């Protein structure tokens, strides 16, 4: 695993780095909260090991900022603050696990391994793709063949639902319920008009991705 250790005590940092590297992990160290935040946001990590008491920006604020920014990298708090309230506040801030100092290295290793397996199992795909159409669920950017496409909020929700069900037929009723929240048919051309506008932005001058399945609904799929 590629791990960022955020720890301002040199002895603890050296102990953790040497121990985890001997088990095959790749570690880098940041010793203040602000530098660590920049690195956590701008680089790709499999795990963050975070001390609570840090210069510049404390560990709780760091993790809260990451979660508010959509960064879902697993976080293990490693700290001397071991009270029940401390543990609860760490987990509520967005931590995935909490280990207090002093600690047995075997327990740290086990927790690191568990978080690594969890991140592999549940890591969501944040980019949807159908042929040359891409939707980034974090930035909400939509591109086709690399060209940005500007969508209104409801158009984005409609396209997101279609892309999450790519190659499947979705009915008008399904779209009304999941995109508009209607549990009844308003007997309007709401769906049809939005599909038409979406096609004008997605498919105009390009191979068609959004298909009408006569008598059933709509399907987004790569051209045959």
């Amino acid at each position: 695993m590629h791990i960022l250790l955020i720890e301002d005590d040199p002895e603890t940092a050296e102990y953790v780095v040497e121990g985890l590297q001997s088990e095959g992990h790749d570690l880098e160290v940041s010793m203040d909260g602000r530098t660590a935040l920049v690195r956590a946001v701008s680089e790709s990590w499999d795990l963050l090991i975070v001390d609570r008491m840090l210069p510049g920006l404390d560990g709780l604020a760091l993790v809260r900022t990451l979660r508010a920014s959509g960064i879902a990298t697993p976080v293990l708090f490693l700290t001397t603050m071991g009270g029940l309230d401390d543990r609860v506040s760490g987990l509520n801030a967005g931590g995935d696990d909490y280990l207090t100092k002093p600690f047995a290295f075997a327990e740290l290793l086990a927790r690191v391994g568990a978080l690594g397996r969890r991140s592999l199992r549940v890591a969501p795909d944040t980019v949807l793709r159908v042929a040359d159409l891409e939707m980034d669920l974090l930035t909400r950017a939509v591109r086709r063949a690399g060209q940005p496409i500007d969508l209104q909020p409801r158009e984005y929700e409609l396209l997101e639902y279609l892309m999450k069900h790519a190659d499947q037929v979705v009915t008008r009723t399904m779209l009304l319920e999941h995109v508009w929240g209607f549990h009844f048919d308003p007997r309007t051309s709401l769906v049809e008009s939005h599909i038409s506008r979406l096609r004008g932005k997605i498919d105009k001058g390009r191979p068609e991705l959004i298909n009408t399945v006569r008598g059933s609904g709509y399907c987004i799929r790569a051209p045959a």
Side-chain angles (χ1 to χ4, degrees), residues 40-41 43 45-48 63-76 94-96 115 118-120 122-126 138:
V41 170
E43 302 175 46
W45 306 95
D46 297 312
L47 175 66
L48 307 176
V63 173
R64 285 196 189 100
T65 303
L66 290 177
R67 296 304 187 234
S69 302
I71 305 297
T73 308
V75 169
L76 168 61
D96 298 277
L115 287 172
R118 185 189 307 176
S119 67
L120 289 174
V122 304
D125 187 356
T126 59
L138 296 181

Side-chain angles (χ1 to χ4, degrees), residues 126-128 134-143 149-164 179 194 198 201-202:
T126 59
V127 178
L128 303 178
E134 292 189 356
M135 170 181 283
D136 190 317
L137 298 176
L138 296 181
T139 65
R140 296 179 68 87
V142 177
R143 293 180 174 84
I149 297 173
D150 184 31
L151 299 179
Q152 296 298 316
R154 193 70 75 182
E155 294 168 348
Y156 179 92
E157 293 172 17
L158 176 58
L159 181 62
E160 179 183 2
Y161 189 80
L162 289 170
M163 293 184 73
K164 283 182 175 178
V179 178
H194 277 76
L198 193 56
K201 296 182 177 183
I202 299 296

Side-chain angles (χ1 to χ4, degrees), residues 38-52:
V38 172
R39 297 197 65 188
V41 170
S42 61
E43 302 175 46
S44 179
W45 306 95
D46 297 312
L47 175 66
L48 307 176
I49 301 178
V50 183
D51 189 10
R52 285 277 302 264

Side-chain angles (χ1 to χ4, degrees), residues 146-186:
Q147 298 300 310
I149 297 173
D150 184 31
L151 299 179
Q152 296 298 316
R154 193 70 75 182
E155 294 168 348
Y156 179 92
E157 293 172 17
L158 176 58
L159 181 62
E160 179 183 2
Y161 189 80
L162 289 170
M163 293 184 73
K164 283 182 175 178
H165 297 82
D167 298 316
Q168 303 172 28
V169 176
V170 296
T171 67
R172 185 173 182 276
T173 299
M174 291 165 66
L175 292 173
L176 284 169
E177 180 173 342
H178 292 282
V179 178
W180 282 271
F182 290 160
H183 297 279
F184 62 94
D185 190 340

